[in-house]
Amino acid sequence: MKVYGYARVSTQEQAEEFDALNQQIARLETAGATQVLIDIESGRSDARKQFNRLLKLVEQNQVREIIITRVDRLGRSVMTIHKAMEIFVKHQVNLRVLDAPVDPNSPFGWFSINQMSGLAEFESRLLSQRVKQGNEYFRQQLKFCVPPFGYSKDENQRLTPNRDIHRKSGKTYFELAGEIVDLVLEMRSLKDVCDYIYTEYDVVFSVSGLRDWLNNLALQGHTAYFMKPKPGVNREPIINFHTHPALITPTTLEAIHRKLSANRKYRSSNNSSRGRYPLAGLIKCAHCRGSMYRNISRHRTRTEYMRCVNYSKPGQYSCENSKCVRLREIIAQTIAELCKNAPKLIEHLENQLQQQSLVTQVQNSKQLEKLSHELSVLQGLGSANPDIIHAIAKIESTINQLSTPLPVIDRDGLENAKRKIAIASQPTFWQSLDDEELQCFLAEFVEAVEVDSQGAIAVVWKLYYFGF
């Protein structure tokens, strides 16, 4: 069992500019952490990947001690910290807080940690309230965060046309933005516009970015907030009309919408099968780690190819992987890798079972030694006190229970996983599946399939599923 450290900062800015994350990591390693898990996310979130991984490791009895710099690194919610503490105590994991040494197993330590977690949540709620009030004042003043291309901010942080000169074109940024709008109406597609303005002016736009820019209300002279809905947040958009000079007139806007609608109608289909194919969303580029999209040839064979989404992006965003790889070849190689590696995966599962049983026996032996010592002390008293006799009987019962090692993992689940791998290692099994079934089964085993510029693939298995 290892000694883990856990470090967390809320933003990337804290990690990079203020070096807060590196400071935490250095302190944790100095304190004896053999591995440090890191999250860059708000402590109010329960979806922190490494934090949840730490809890899972604790539940699998792979952790002896956890080291943190402060209690609020575990979270900014009383409930989150309380649940984590319950898991630590249940699995006899020692928690070491460098800035406030307490023993969570003692009543005083438990009280102290709950006080500190309450203070952490209080600070978080107070900060959230101040930010909310500041944002409300910001919107009342019609201020803008990040101006769209063609605009800048004046001394009052409001939008105004950007009159700075663009070096390559010799035009102001506002004039250049107007020219881009004209190009959208003149040229065949948004991709053609993106390629043209990058070649002529070194202005970088992706197709989706250009589409979002055209639909930005700021280009119509309006200052708007909350235009993009967020999951779980129900808030009406706020639109302040005619707050600054417009780049796009209503007539031009209508023409742009007609053009975008015509392009969408040309490219789309009522029977779209996007995402309805084996390994959908799992195929990644080995060079840029970006996704790969499916393209279907117009030939009567309708061959499906996978290609990196970044291959055609301009400038620094471009990926060197321009290889088109047949989807069926990727699927076939993935299945072949699964069949080839099935014995190794099953061996890992068996080793995992043995290791967990050994961990259980070691833990039970420590408890048995402690209880046996307590039992000998009580029996040595030779007392007729009913309470002492009852305590002796209870300890004896506990010793009997611990004498038989109890499984700490889901053996049935791992045995079921072994059976699935054994079945999946048979090529005839895969030949009997249709595309929908293939998609379902492959997603159960595969985390990602990386494809390089030579068409070679590397399969990343769902290691957590296999238990190692």
Side-chain angles (χ1 to χ4, degrees), residues 112-156:
S112 299
I113 286 179
N114 276 275
Q115 274 192 318
M116 287 186 281
S117 62
L119 181 61
E121 181 167 349
F122 169 72
E123 290 176 345
S124 177
R125 290 179 179 272
L126 202 61
L127 177 62
S128 178
Q129 186 181 45
R130 289 199 296 266
V131 170
K132 185 177 179 180
Q133 292 171 349
N135 288 340
E136 190 66 31
Y137 177 78
F138 182 92
R139 290 188 289 271
Q140 289 174 0
Q141 301 300 309
L142 303 179
K143 296 183 179 182
F144 213 88
C145 291
V146 181
F149 183 85
Y151 286 90
S152 60
K153 294 188 289 187
D154 61 16
E155 64 277 5
N156 297 317

Side-chain angles (χ1 to χ4, degrees), residues 355-404:
Q355 291 173 6
Q356 292 295 341
S357 297
L358 181 62
V359 169
T360 308
Q361 291 171 3
V362 170
Q363 290 180 339
N364 285 353
S365 64
K366 290 181 179 179
Q367 290 181 276
L368 284 169
E369 184 179 349
K370 181 180 178 181
L371 291 172
S372 298
H373 175 70
E374 293 176 356
L375 180 62
S376 62
V377 172
L378 292 176
Q379 288 176 338
L381 295 175
S383 175
N385 188 315
D387 292 337
I388 295 179
I389 295 174
H390 177 71
I392 291 174
K394 188 174 181 180
I395 292 175
E396 288 177 341
S397 175
T398 305
I399 290 175
N400 290 332
Q401 291 177 2
L402 292 175
S403 298
T404 304

Side-chain angles (χ1 to χ4, degrees), residues 226-235:
F226 307 117
M227 295 305 298
K228 292 185 177 180
K230 292 184 178 180
V233 179
N234 185 18
R235 185 158 188 176

Side-chain angles (χ1 to χ4, degrees), residues 9-34:
V9 291
S10 298
T11 64
Q12 191 69 36
E13 182 184 16
Q14 288 177 306
E16 295 178 356
E17 295 187 18
F18 300 103
D19 212 26
L21 189 59
N22 288 334
Q23 291 178 29
Q24 288 186 54
I25 295 171
R27 292 187 62 192
L28 295 174
E29 290 177 343
T30 302
T34 56

Side-chain angles (χ1 to χ4, degrees), residues 29-85:
E29 290 177 343
T30 302
T34 56
Q35 185 173 347
V36 179
L37 303 181
I38 300 165
D39 276 317
I40 302 178
E41 199 167 350
S42 170
R44 298 291 294 273
S45 171
D46 289 335
R48 286 171 281 153
K49 186 175 180 180
Q50 296 302 318
F51 176 71
N52 290 325
R53 180 189 170 195
L54 179 64
L55 296 182
K56 189 172 183 179
L57 289 169
V58 171
E59 291 173 339
Q60 293 175 347
N61 293 300
Q62 297 184 22
V63 182
R64 176 166 56 86
E65 184 178 40
I66 295 173
I67 308 174
I68 55 176
T69 55
R70 300 198 310 267
V71 170
D72 61 4
R73 297 304 89 195
L74 286 178
R76 290 279 187 175
S77 165
V78 173
M79 290 298 296
T80 299
I81 297 176
H82 184 70
K83 288 179 181 178
M85 295 303 304

Side-chain angles (χ1 to χ4, degrees), residues 337-338 341-350 418 421 445 461 463 466 468:
E337 285 293 313
L338 179 58
N341 290 285
K344 294 181 181 179
L345 299 177
I346 292 175
E347 182 182 350
H348 274 289
L349 288 175
E350 291 173 345
K418 286 170 60 178
I421 296 171
F445 295 104
W461 306 110
L463 300 185
F466 297 123
F468 57 90

